[in-house]
Amino acid sequence: MNIIVTGSLGNISRPLTQQLTDKGHTVTVISSNPEKQAAIEAVGAVAAIGSLNDTAFLEKTFTGADAVYCMTPPNYVSAEPPVDYYTRIAGNYAQALGKAGVKRVVYLSSFGAHLDHGTGVILGSHHSEKILNAVSGLSITHIRPTSFYYNLYNFTDMIRHAGFMAACYGENDKVLWVSPLDIADAVAEEIVRTASVPAIRYVTSDERTCNEVAAVLGKAIGKPDLAWRLIPGDVMREQLETHGVPGPMAAALVELYDSLHSGALAEDFYRNPPATTGKVKIEDFAREFAAVFAKSN
């Protein structure tokens, strides 16, 4: 198959691209960074250097593709409201996919995308799914991963300086966690599927309370008493802004974490759980976390 992968060689797109090229597919990887071209070619793919803001570039790159994997790159430091950013990129994808005549798409969405409010920074996933669903003749599967393990790296400085983890979700809140490797596996399965295509596929790797996560990470880094405290949302927002996160993004992150704390984010996941759980567990991630933590000392 002729497959287009967006997301450059990111945490999901790199292992996805490697899987697809290893299986003999022709893969083109879109990246905005010309310096990534050699690395993309090194994994057996073709580099298409351009911007997701350039619909003419996207249309040209998508033309002739059997399938396209679409994702929205993180944009945490921008002052643009997250919903506006997500819907703008989704609109660009929709326009280019329609004009290019693409028939099969896998879109990286998020759990919580069933909600039309109260999910903060990922609310754009809800609107993006609707935008892409409106493209005529498109067979689309929305991949809805749960909370990414690597978000836990955001706690490294706090652990080092304060000796604990803290957020407006924590303690005994049960959280669904996912590895990019398990997401890549799911996308690789769906991108080549031509029959019985699911509209939505949830992906998760493990389910633990925040206290359990803290215990596993603490053991891995030599801090067996590490705790994950639950703090008010206004306190967390103030901390985020103090560390340079723009006000609108800080507010959106707090709203997202509040929905994790309340359980609203995972409601539809539990109504429609995936048939299988990913291979990478919190103990596996903890080894990576410990290595990163040690290097940042």
Side-chain angles (χ1 to χ4, degrees):
M1 293 177 66
N2 181 15
I3 299 172
I4 311 298
V5 171
T6 62
S8 190
L9 292 180
N11 292 312
I12 298 169
S13 295
R14 178 187 286 274
L16 170 62
T17 298
Q18 192 68 72
Q19 280 197 52
L20 295 174
T21 56
D22 287 349
K23 292 175 182 176
H25 299 290
T26 299
V27 182
T28 298
V29 175
I30 291 177
S31 177
S32 62
N33 185 357
E35 295 180 1
K36 293 290 187 181
Q37 180 164 344
I40 291 169
E41 293 171 350
V43 296
V46 176
I49 306 301
S51 171
L52 299 184
N53 295 313
D54 185 346
T55 54
F57 161 74
L58 291 176
E59 179 187 346
K60 179 181 178 181
T61 306
F62 291 166
T63 298
D66 296 304
V68 178
Y69 164 66
C70 293
M71 60 84 67
T72 305
N75 197 32
Y76 296 134
V77 297
S78 172
E80 181 180 13
V83 171
D84 293 352
Y85 170 66
Y86 268 80
T87 54
R88 177 168 58 79
I89 298 300
N92 293 345
Y93 279 144
Q95 180 178 332
L97 291 166
K99 289 186 175 180
V102 175
K103 300 302 181 185
R104 178 73 177 127
V105 166
V106 175
Y107 175 66
L108 183 66
S109 183
S110 174
F111 80 139
H114 65 292
L115 297 170
D116 62 4
H117 66 282
T119 57
V121 69
I122 63 166
L123 179 58
S125 296
H126 171 84
H127 298 292
S128 296
E129 286 191 10
K130 295 180 71 173
I131 290 168
L132 291 167
N133 286 343
V135 178
S136 179
L138 196 62
S139 172
I140 186 165
T141 295
H142 298 293
I143 299 291
R144 291 182 176 177
T146 57
S147 296
F148 285 66
Y149 284 132
Y150 62 66
N151 289 336
L152 293 166
Y153 288 129
N154 295 329
F155 290 104
T156 53
D157 285 344
M158 181 182 292
I159 294 170
R160 181 171 297 105
H161 298 298
F164 56 83
M165 304 165 69
C168 53
Y169 71 107
E171 297 182 354
N172 289 316
D173 290 341
K174 189 172 287 188
V175 179
L176 296 153
W177 300 97
V178 72
S179 165
L181 298 178
D182 289 328
I183 299 171
D185 286 348
V187 174
E189 288 180 12
E190 296 301 335
I191 201 78
V192 298
R193 192 188 299 274
T194 57
S196 301
V197 172
I200 293 166
R201 177 171 173 174
Y202 284 99
V203 185
T204 198
S205 305
D206 206 349
E207 182 179 21
R208 303 289 182 93
T209 67
C210 293
N211 283 337
E212 289 171 336
V213 169
V216 173
L217 296 183
K219 180 180 178 181
I221 63 174
K223 296 181 181 293
D225 296 326
L226 182 65
W228 188 327
R229 300 179 183 176
L230 184 63
I231 60 175
D234 56 348
V235 173
M236 182 163 192
R237 179 173 178 175
E238 182 179 344
Q239 290 179 351
L240 289 169
E241 292 182 2
T242 298
H243 286 83
V245 178
M249 178 60 71
L253 284 169
V254 168
E255 188 173 70
L256 171 63
Y257 298 152
D258 281 342
S259 68
L260 272 171
H261 175 59
S262 71
L265 206 65
E267 287 173 347
D268 191 67
F269 172 94
Y270 289 118
R271 288 194 291 263
N272 303 280
T276 59
T277 300
K279 303 184 295 291
V280 183
K281 305 305 177 185
I282 186 64
E283 287 80 7
D284 302 311
F285 172 75
R287 290 191 289 271
E288 299 176 25
F289 185 90
V292 171
F293 188 83
K295 287 180 181 179
S296 59
N297 275 332

